[in-house]
């Protein structure tokens, strides 16, 4: 399974309806958002900590702090910040979703499932596609394939060209060794974005599995152009060359 966890989590998600327009630090929020979108997480973190010292009961600031730590891949600190945001606002669905995605990155799938399901239960009237997608990915990791398909298909009802969900469906069928069906989904994803590494890699892997080696090599080499030093790609190329006696 090689689905990009952050594909549909754009940095602009830091600002949403949870942050009202008349807060006294709105200019600071806009500045933080700009830094965050530019991946300047360390600078944003310094600023948000200054704001937290002024507004220590504002759940939104702890949420942004968690997003900055997540961007820096300091996942334990991110969890602490998101938990503080949730402690201050028990219905903070975005914080619940983001802590779920962090546990997903830490490969603690049952804890990820717990937080993502809590977010989903809050969002029943207006489902958040980020929550839905990551639930699909969590169930895929747990090998609960019917549930994974359900959530990925929910994503596609909201956004028919949701490339990560389409790729996720391909992953489900790849794991179930239904390679022809997996290839159909991966090719659909490739029509949307021709340079999506995950899809190129998965197509190469599928074609190796069904002994269509030239197509496998074409896709694997295309993936290598995007991520030339990715360990899993070397592993897959090794499988390919072993299968072809090279």
């Amino acid at each position: 399974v090689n689905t990009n966890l952050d594909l549909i989590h754009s940095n602009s998600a830091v600002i949403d309806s949870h942050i009202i327009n008349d807060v006294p630090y709105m200019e600071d929020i806009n500045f933080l958002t700009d830094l965050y979108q530019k991946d300047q997480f360390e600078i944003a973190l310094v600023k948000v900590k200054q704001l937290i010292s002024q507004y220590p009961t504002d759940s939104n600031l702890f949420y942004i702090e968690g997003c900055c730590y997540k961007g820096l891949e300091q996942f334990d600190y991110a969890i602490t910040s998101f938990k503080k945001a949730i402690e201050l606002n028990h219905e903070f669905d975005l914080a619940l979703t983001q802590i779920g995605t962090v546990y997903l990155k830490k490969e603690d799938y049952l804890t990820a499932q717990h937080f993502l399901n809590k977010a989903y239960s809050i969002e029943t009237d207006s489902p958040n596609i980020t929550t839905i997608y990551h639930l699909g990915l969590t169930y895929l990791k747990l090998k609960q394939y019917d549930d994974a398909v359900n959530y990925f298909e929910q994503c596609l009802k909201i956004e028919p060209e949701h490339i990560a969900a389409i790729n996720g469906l391909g992953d489900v069928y790849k794991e179930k060794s239904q390679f022809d069906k997996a290839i159909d989904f991966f090719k659909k994803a490739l029509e949307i974005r021709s340079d999506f590494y995950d899809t190129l890699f998965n197509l190469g892997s599928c074609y190796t599995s069904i002994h269509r080696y030239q197509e496998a090599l074409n896709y694997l080499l295309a993936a290598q152009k995007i991520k030339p030093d990715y360990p899993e790609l070397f592993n897959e190329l090794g499988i390919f060359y072993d299968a072809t006696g090279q």
Side-chain angles (χ1 to χ4, degrees):
V1 178
N2 185 46
T3 305
N4 185 342
L5 296 184
D6 287 323
L7 184 67
I8 49 86
H9 172 56
S10 81
N11 291 342
S12 61
V14 171
I15 301 296
D16 81 320
S17 59
H18 287 91
I19 300 177
I20 56 177
N21 292 325
D22 60 350
V23 291
Y25 51 84
M26 197 63 212
E27 287 187 10
D28 294 309
I29 291 293
N30 292 331
F31 176 62
L32 283 170
T33 304
D34 183 59
L35 291 173
Y36 189 83
Q37 290 174 335
K38 294 176 180 176
D39 293 342
Q40 295 180 5
F41 304 121
E42 292 181 345
I43 300 173
L45 196 55
V46 171
K47 182 61 180 176
V48 77
K49 284 183 178 295
Q50 292 172 351
L51 289 170
I52 287 172
S53 68
Q54 295 176 259
Y55 307 97
T57 60
D58 192 316
S59 61
N60 301 298
L61 295 175
F62 285 100
Y63 170 75
I64 297 172
E65 181 184 53
C67 288
C68 291
Y69 279 126
K70 181 183 174 186
L72 292 167
E73 297 189 350
Q74 296 181 22
F75 297 132
D76 290 336
Y77 287 119
I79 287 169
T80 299
S81 298
F82 289 133
K83 283 185 174 179
K84 182 63 177 179
I86 295 162
E87 178 186 320
L88 292 166
N89 177 3
H90 298 301
E91 300 292 301
F92 202 158
D93 56 312
L94 282 185
L96 289 163
T97 294
Q98 286 306 310
I99 197 172
T101 68
V102 172
Y103 279 112
L104 193 53
K105 281 180 171 289
K106 288 169 66 70
E107 300 183 355
D108 184 347
Y109 303 129
L110 290 175
T111 306
Q113 178 189 32
H114 166 74
F115 282 106
L116 290 166
N117 275 324
K118 284 188 71 173
Y120 186 76
S121 68
I122 294 169
E123 298 165 352
T124 50
D125 294 333
S126 180
N128 183 328
I129 199 167
T130 305
T131 306
I132 298 169
Y133 166 71
H134 284 92
L135 272 169
L137 187 56
T138 300
Y139 282 112
L140 174 60
K141 296 288 190 180
L142 291 169
K143 300 188 183 301
Q144 297 181 28
Y145 299 124
D146 289 344
D147 289 317
V149 168
N150 173 42
Y151 286 109
F152 289 142
E153 288 182 343
Q154 283 189 49
C155 287
L156 297 181
K157 287 179 181 177
I158 299 170
E159 186 181 320
E161 293 194 344
H162 191 293
I163 188 172
I166 295 169
N167 195 73
L169 286 167
D171 272 322
V172 169
Y173 293 111
K174 179 185 172 189
E175 290 220 345
K176 295 173 73 174
S177 298
Q178 297 180 24
F179 297 113
D180 289 340
K181 200 165 185 177
I183 286 168
D184 286 343
F185 280 108
F186 292 139
K187 283 191 171 180
K188 184 178 179 181
L190 208 61
E191 288 173 5
I192 298 168
R193 180 174 161 188
S194 61
D195 64 344
F196 186 28
Y197 168 85
D198 295 354
T199 300
L200 293 166
F201 173 89
N202 283 325
L203 279 166
S205 177
C206 284
Y207 278 120
T208 298
S209 297
I210 61 175
H211 314 301
R212 290 168 60 174
Y213 296 121
Q214 188 57 56
E215 288 158 294
L217 184 60
N218 291 342
Y219 284 115
L220 291 173
L221 292 179
Q224 190 175 36
K225 288 180 180 178
I226 298 168
K227 292 189 177 181
D229 299 319
Y230 220 50
E232 68 170 2
L233 179 61
F234 288 123
N235 183 66
E236 192 62 38
L237 283 166
I239 293 169
F240 166 82
Y241 288 123
D242 180 60
T244 55
Q246 301 180 57

